[in-house]
Amino acid sequence: MPEVPVITIDGPSGSGKGTVSARVAAALGWHILDSGALYRLTGHAVQKAGIGFNNPTQAADIARNLDVEFQDGQILLDGEDVSLAIRTEQAGNNASRVAAMPEVRAALLDWQREAARPPGLVADGRDMGTTVFPDAPLKVFLTASAEERAKRRYKQLKEKGIASNIADLAAEIRERDERDSTRAASPLLPAEDALVVDSTGMDIDTVVETILRAARERGLGTA
Ligand code: DC
């Protein structure tokens, strides 16, 4: 298979990865992989199956056999639209629980690698640069302070009509960061060769432009 160029964008929740990845992919005309959605879908399916969150073998089985369709911005799980359901804080916590299971991470690995299709892929997640695409020619680690991330998340949820409050969100973000960065399986850490971008106080356009410039410097895409 010919080498497909991949830009990995990793970082904690609320760092703006989703928006930035979508903008970078659109500018380059590349595909996008929202790997967090796969963990959210697995968490959702595990909860629905009622097997609890202490059963990695069965959770991995569920992950391997997810019946998912991505359709015009909608995500269907077993034919049911779960686009909103997988974006709640509860769904984020369930995702974080299954993401801590090495069996689940292994089950989702091939699925994620198969997303690398021409002309290129922007892969958004936590371990895209360290584990899933270690040979990617551009790896970005996008971060921001927990307070700033809580404010952004609050705004995002509000726009979707989901009620929340900033203090609770900041506490949940810290808790999830802690779990994601200290877990044994693929902890959330920048790849050694990652370009670290701290977006606190930076607008989205500047972040996107910084990444596109780094892509051009590496001869990626034509943007
Ligand atoms: O980016 P997100 O908030 O949708 O991710 C949901 C959860 O999944 C989060 O707790 C981290 C985890 N995750 C992961 O461990 N590895 C990835 N590549 C993507 C997400």
Side-chain angles (χ1 to χ4, degrees):
M1 197 175 87
E3 205 50 22
V4 177
V6 177
I7 296 177
T8 60
I9 304 186
D10 290 306
S13 4
S15 60
K17 274 177 307 140
T19 312
V20 168
S21 300
R23 291 266 305 266
V24 170
L28 295 168
W30 286 10
H31 301 283
I32 187 158
L33 169 68
D34 173 4
S35 61
L38 297 179
Y39 289 96
R40 287 173 180 271
L41 286 161
T42 304
H44 188 82
V46 164
Q47 185 164 53
K48 228 172 112 184
I51 59 159
F53 286 89
N54 293 311
N55 198 335
T57 310
Q58 260 182 288
D61 225 42
I62 287 178
R64 210 170 292 114
N65 295 303
L66 283 178
D67 175 10
V68 182
E69 260 181 88
F70 293 88
Q71 249 181 29
D72 311 318
Q74 274 192 342
I75 305 183
L76 306 182
L77 181 64
D78 296 326
E80 182 198 339
D81 182 3
V82 293
S83 324
L84 264 183
I86 61 161
R87 297 294 160 198
T88 64
E89 293 309 299
Q90 174 66 46
N93 281 319
N94 291 344
S96 172
R97 290 204 160 80
V98 295
M101 301 172 182
E103 295 87 343
V104 168
R105 306 200 71 87
L108 292 177
L109 204 51
D110 284 348
W111 192 331
Q112 296 174 83
R113 289 189 176 143
E114 277 164 21
R117 304 224 167 104
L121 178 73
V122 176
D124 158 356
R126 301 292 192 289
D127 63 340
M128 298 296 101
T130 49
T131 306
V132 183
F133 301 107
D135 299 327
L138 173 57
K139 300 175 184 178
V140 177
F141 192 82
L142 192 59
T143 183
S145 70
E147 289 68 29
E148 170 116 1
R149 287 187 280 138
K151 281 187 206 150
R152 289 179 188 168
R153 189 89 184 106
Y154 174 79
K155 230 178 107 190
Q156 231 178 32
L157 288 171
K158 201 172 161 192
E159 277 161 15
K160 288 183 181 148
I162 301 171
S164 63
N165 81 68
I166 293 178
D168 284 355
L169 287 174
E172 273 168 33
I173 282 174
R174 282 198 197 88
E175 191 188 316
R176 201 180 311 164
D177 276 3
E178 174 70 14
R179 188 160 55 219
D180 289 343
S181 58
T182 57
R183 70 177 175 223
S186 281
L188 171 65
L189 291 170
E192 254 175 46
D193 49 349
L195 169 71
V196 178
V197 179
D198 183 342
S199 71
T200 311
M202 226 193 214
D203 64 34
I204 291 278
D205 287 347
T206 313
V207 176
V208 171
E209 195 34 56
T210 303
I211 296 171
L212 288 175
R213 195 183 324 121
R216 280 194 296 271
E217 283 165 8
R218 286 160 179 78
L220 300 171
T222 50

